[in-house]
Amino acid sequence: QVQLVESGGGLVQAGGSLRLSCAGSGRTFSDYAMGWFRQAPGKEREFVAGISWSGGSTYYADSVKGRFTISKDNAKNTLYLQMNSLKPEDTAVYYCAAVRTDSRVVFLREYEYAYWGQGTQVTVSS
């Protein structure tokens, strides 16, 4: 089992940047594919970005492609989401998620992930 704790959220102006981190404990990250999801007020949680267990494959939602970058440091058991050119519509609670796998694929759906963090708030002002 792995425990996940997100950090790095906050208030930023439109056009600014933030880097979210997701620290894991309990198991080595090298066994896990991981992802970032977000949930805006009144909306369902949605996929943002995913990364394979090795870090060799990534996938992004169209809404963040070219602005966000997901990365994974297995030695530090930490997942990152670099968010640039932020927009007000990026405002949401951001969650990291993990699933233990030996597959090289990137998982895109909530039900594919077994472990979740508590979330970190990102607010982008216009």
Side-chain angles (χ1 to χ4, degrees), residues 37 46-47 97 99 106-114 116:
F37 290 75
E46 64 175 1
F47 171 83
V99 57
V106 177
F107 296 95
L108 310 184
R109 299 169 185 82
E110 281 191 61
Y111 67 82
E112 294 175 313
Y113 288 90
W116 293 82

Side-chain angles (χ1 to χ4, degrees), residues 6-112:
E6 302 95 337
S7 61
L11 174 64
V12 63
Q13 288 188 334
S17 298
L18 282 175
R19 188 176 80 156
L20 303 184
S21 298
C22 173
S25 60
R27 291 277 187 175
T28 175
F29 266 20
S30 60
D31 295 336
Y32 291 82
M34 303 193 71
W36 287 98
F37 290 75
R38 67 186 181 187
Q39 187 168 21
K43 296 187 177 181
E44 294 187 351
R45 190 155 56 182
E46 64 175 1
F47 171 83
V48 175
I51 190 166
S52 61
W53 66 264
S54 67
S57 298
T58 57
Y59 192 85
Y60 297 91
D62 288 343
S63 58
V64 307
K65 201 172 295 181
R67 300 188 297 122
F68 291 11
T69 302
I70 188 172
S71 62
K72 187 171 180 269
D73 187 332
N74 287 334
K76 294 183 178 180
N77 266 20
T78 304
L79 176 74
Y80 302 100
L81 185 68
Q82 178 66 44
M83 306 186 295
N84 298 328
S85 302
L86 282 161
K87 305 175 181 180
E89 51 264 43
D90 294 318
T91 296
V93 177
Y94 283 71
Y95 300 88
C96 66
V99 57
R100 191 172 185 183
T101 181
D102 57 3
S103 169
R104 297 179 182 271
V105 303
V106 177
F107 296 95
L108 310 184
R109 299 169 185 82
E110 281 191 61
Y111 67 82
E112 294 175 313

